[in-house]
Amino acid sequence: MTLRLAFDVYGTLVDPMGMADLLTQDAGEQAEAVSSLWREKQLEFSFRKGLMRAYEDFGACTRQALRYAMATHKLDLTSDREDQLMAAYLSLPAFDDALPALQALKGSYPLFAFSNGSYPALEKVLGHNHLLDQFEGLVSVDDIKSFKPDPAVYAYARRATGAWDEPLCLVSSNAWDVIGARAAGLMAIWVKRDAGKVFEDWGIKPSAVINSLSELPETLKSL
């Protein structure tokens, strides 16, 4: 039986909060708060669109969330500056542990990037950080027009990675993603990047918890 690994991208391999520095130009001391709300609403909007069966790709959710975050803080953006920030989102920085971990795992496991993002966005952000070549393939929810944590998305990931009846393990820093994957029958490892984060008590546990992707190769041996 071949264990396949499906890596979440945003928040796991690349850091959405990397936008905070760029937002200083637009939001000053509120930049970090704007960046945090931007990310929160990006996810919320995708969840809601999935439930409403009113799919728009993740880029649309990201743009709408940016507008919301700025408006909430009573800040203005020109359309040109909005476009600049959206373009910068395609060059989010990778976490320091991402590339070394993928390099350590490549050849031992089939590796896939599995994301709410569209293929062009994934190719851009992963390529920018030299991560793209580490993967055997990309899996985007855009293929089925829904978003994680829809069970259909995880079922699609099983098919798209060729797992079928073989084990597929999600690696994600997003607890809601881990819960969604586990509920859909996948293995799932939670990357607890923030020591203060609490895993929601839904009676669904991750297959393992790690603090850094550097711990992943050794953790996989014990699953």
Side-chain angles (χ1 to χ4, degrees), residues 11 32 50 64 68 79 95-96 116 129 151 157 170 178 189-190 202:
E32 191 167 333
Q64 291 160 1
Y68 178 92
S79 58
F95 290 103
D96 291 342
N116 278 340
N129 290 290
L170 173 75
V178 170
I189 294 173
W190 185 36
W202 287 24

Side-chain angles (χ1 to χ4, degrees), residues 100-115:
L102 293 175
Q103 290 173 330
L105 294 164
K106 188 176 182 180
S108 298
Y109 303 90
L111 308 180
F112 296 86
F114 171 37
S115 177

Side-chain angles (χ1 to χ4, degrees), residues 1-215:
M1 299 280 281
T2 301
L3 174 62
R4 289 166 169 78
L5 301 179
F7 287 81
D8 172 64
V9 175
Y10 298 100
T12 303
L13 299 176
V14 302
D15 186 5
M17 288 302 292
M19 293 301 296
D21 288 344
L22 280 178
L23 282 167
T24 301
Q25 172 184 330
D26 312 284
E29 294 181 354
Q30 300 182 84
E32 191 167 333
V34 171
S35 183
S36 180
L37 183 59
W38 184 4
R39 171 62 171 166
E40 177 187 329
K41 286 296 176 177
Q42 175 199 49
L43 293 173
E44 180 189 324
F45 291 175
S46 70
F47 297 159
R48 287 162 55 187
K49 288 175 188 288
L51 286 168
M52 291 165 62
R53 299 292 185 261
Y55 180 82
E56 292 183 281
D57 73 29
F58 205 49
C61 298
T62 303
R63 187 180 291 272
Q64 291 160 1
L66 171 60
R67 291 173 177 170
Y68 178 92
M70 293 294 289
T72 296
H73 288 272
K74 297 180 172 53
L75 298 167
D76 295 318
L77 278 183
T78 66
S79 58
D80 285 347
R81 180 57 178 163
E82 182 181 289
D83 289 342
Q84 289 174 6
L85 289 170
M86 288 297 300
Y89 207 87
L90 300 176
S91 300
L92 288 171
F95 290 103
D96 291 342
D97 58 358
L99 182 57
L102 293 175
Q103 290 173 330
L105 294 164
K106 188 176 182 180
S108 298
Y109 303 90
L111 308 180
F112 296 86
F114 171 37
S115 177
N116 278 340
S118 66
Y119 287 111
L122 295 178
E123 289 169 358
K124 180 74 172 177
V125 74
L126 293 173
H128 173 75
N129 290 290
H130 310 292
L131 303 178
L132 186 61
D133 292 343
Q134 305 304 313
F135 292 106
E136 188 169 309
L138 307 180
V139 180
S140 170
V141 304
D142 201 41
D143 287 332
I144 60 169
K145 310 304 182 194
S146 188
F147 290 106
K148 303 178 192 178
D150 183 341
V153 171
Y154 300 104
Y156 175 71
R158 189 181 289 282
R159 300 193 300 273
T161 59
W164 298 101
D165 294 329
E166 294 188 325
L168 176 62
C169 182
L170 173 75
V171 180
S172 179
S173 67
N174 299 301
W176 56 265
D177 193 11
V178 170
I179 291 170
R182 294 291 287 146
L186 274 61
M187 300 168 67
I189 294 173
W190 185 36
V191 187
K192 187 179 179 181
R193 291 201 172 279
D194 182 347
K197 284 285 187 182
V198 175
F199 197 85
E200 293 96 337
D201 184 8
W202 287 24
I204 300 174
K205 302 295 185 184
S207 304
V209 179
I210 58 178
N211 297 309
S212 166
L213 290 174
S214 63
E215 301 170 23

